Amino acid sequence: MTEIHLTNTRTRTKDPFAPLDPANVRMYVCGPTVYDRAHLGNARPAVVFDVLYRLLRHVYGADHVTYVRNITDVEDKIIDRARERGIGIDELTRTTTEWYHQDMAALGVLPPDAEPHATGYIPQMVGMIAALIERGCAYAAEGHVLFSVESYPDYGKLSGRSVEDMVAGARVEVAPYKKNPMDFVLWKPSAPDEPGWDSPWGRGRPGWHIECSAMSHALLGASFDIHGGGADLMFPHHENEVAQSCCAHPEGSFARFWLHNEMLQVEGKKMSKSLGNFFTVRDLLEGNWSGGWKVPGEVIRFVFLGTHYRKPMDWTEAK
């Protein structure tokens, strides 16, 4: 059998890949927050991990790979965008999810084997939060539930950051109910006009980080093979996933291999609406960008794959 080697963020080494169960190779990749069209930066991880998915299917067999990519359909950006447009949250997330599927299909991205929506796993999130409180790894305060970073000694090992860097990088809200500035939200209260669910801590909604931990555990178990995503998610999102998952399910190891793709630039500069170099996938497909011509999905994919996934990618008109 072909031997695959993967650069593992967790170990900082390129390691031979041996799945826990060759009959069920399991991979989880953080998917989109559905409030708008997918931009180029959103598309890069979808293409990168589509290539890995295809490779795993080729080596182990299409029926022996389980690829999970989630949809975040409850989040503050979604709430704000629905208010701006004067439409319901369900309508916004349904429409933008359809857009995402269409755009990724145009890039030749295969659909994952499972695509859990966060709103479909609220009971699992509540259960996981309750387990963390019971284990002394989380605490309730003023309608919120927060993870206690001090309860997980290995916090920071995935990203390789010092405590000082993490405090600066987390952009955490300074809240009086936090025991430690680094503690992060697992559950927060919802206003009457915001989506919310009943819980032991009052009506509210989950924090962003708990979503992926609950969905990956429900679909892949306490230990699985690969977790992927953009390098911008390494901290705090993936660091927080590791901490809460390992504390809630100490019987498992969570993800054994961590893979991160680097970021994307446009003509050598960070993609930004203020610089006028911000493109969605649909803009390129339909010619609504500075180049003015329609870019086939195959070309977008080809340009993406012309740069190694762990290197910053520069999208240029010349390419």
Side-chain angles (χ1 to χ4, degrees):
M1 180 179 288
T2 302
E3 185 172 67
I4 300 172
H5 289 76
L6 300 174
T7 298
N8 191 347
T9 305
R10 186 174 65 86
T11 61
R12 306 295 192 274
T13 57
K14 182 176 287 187
D15 303 326
F17 175 69
L20 291 165
D21 178 5
N24 184 18
V25 183
R26 288 162 286 168
M27 178 169 71
Y28 185 95
V29 174
C30 290
T33 299
V34 285
Y35 67 99
D36 208 341
R37 286 279 188 187
H39 57 68
L40 283 185
N42 301 139
R44 193 182 188 194
V47 172
V48 163
F49 291 103
D50 177 68
V51 172
L52 179 56
Y53 179 41
R54 289 172 182 270
L55 174 61
L56 294 172
R57 285 163 59 96
H58 176 74
V59 172
Y60 294 97
D63 295 334
H64 301 299
V65 180
T66 303
Y67 174 25
V68 178
R69 187 187 66 209
N70 74 293
I71 295 285
T72 295
D73 59 350
V74 54
E75 209 262 348
D76 290 349
K77 289 179 182 178
I78 296 172
I79 297 171
D80 293 341
R81 183 58 55 86
R83 285 172 177 161
E84 289 173 12
R85 294 180 56 185
I87 61 176
I89 290 172
D90 289 348
E91 180 183 349
L92 175 67
T93 57
R94 182 174 62 254
T95 300
T96 49
T97 298
E98 290 173 359
W99 288 347
Y100 182 79
H101 289 159
Q102 292 165 3
D103 292 345
M104 294 309 105
L107 303 186
V109 174
L110 295 174
D113 296 293
E115 192 176 54
H117 288 56
T119 52
Y121 286 79
I122 299 297
Q124 289 85 347
M125 296 177 205
V126 170
M128 193 171 194
I129 295 169
L132 287 168
I133 293 175
E134 184 177 349
R135 293 180 183 275
C137 300
Y139 58 94
E142 297 186 22
H144 295 74
V145 180
L146 298 109
F147 181 85
S148 174
V149 168
E150 291 179 347
S151 70
Y152 185 61
D154 287 340
Y155 192 82
K157 283 194 173 181
L158 177 68
S159 58
R161 296 191 177 208
S162 67
V163 174
E164 292 77 12
D165 288 341
M166 288 190 288
V167 170
R171 300 188 296 274
V172 292
E173 176 190 357
V174 179
Y177 48 78
K178 285 188 176 184
K179 295 179 180 178
N180 182 319
M182 285 297 298
D183 293 349
F184 56 87
V185 172
L186 301 173
W187 189 264
K188 56 186 175 182
S190 291
D193 63 339
E194 295 175 336
W197 292 262
D198 292 332
S199 81
W201 318 286
R203 182 179 178 276
R205 60 188 188 275
W208 175 36
H209 311 300
I210 196 68
E211 295 179 7
C212 288
S213 287
M215 289 186 282
S216 64
H217 181 265
L219 294 169
L220 299 177
S223 302
F224 56 94
D225 297 300
I226 299 169
H227 194 313
D232 58 323
L233 298 180
M234 192 186 307
F235 182 83
H237 184 51
H238 290 164
E239 194 75 71
N240 292 351
E241 276 191 68
V242 172
Q244 63 200 9
S245 294
C246 289
C247 288
H249 301 288
E251 73 280 6
S253 58
F254 196 41
R256 297 169 58 247
F257 283 78
W258 285 85
L259 276 68
H260 292 93
N261 65 276
E262 261 299 342
M263 297 297 96
L264 176 142
Q265 297 178 322
V266 175
E267 303 290 350
K269 297 180 181 179
K270 182 178 179 180
M271 188 170 65
S272 166
K273 290 182 179 178
S274 63
L275 295 176
N277 66 351
F278 180 94
F279 308 130
T280 67
V281 173
R282 185 55 47 177
D283 287 336
L284 291 168
L285 293 171
E286 297 182 351
N288 300 321
W289 64 295
S290 57
W293 46 279
K294 295 181 180 181
V295 185
E298 296 91 336
V299 173
I300 299 173
R301 183 183 180 95
F302 182 76
V303 173
F304 277 163
L305 297 179
T307 301
H308 191 278
Y309 79 96
R310 286 190 293 109
K311 300 291 184 182
M313 200 213 93
D314 190 18
W315 173 276
T316 67
E317 185 172 342
K319 286 179 181 177

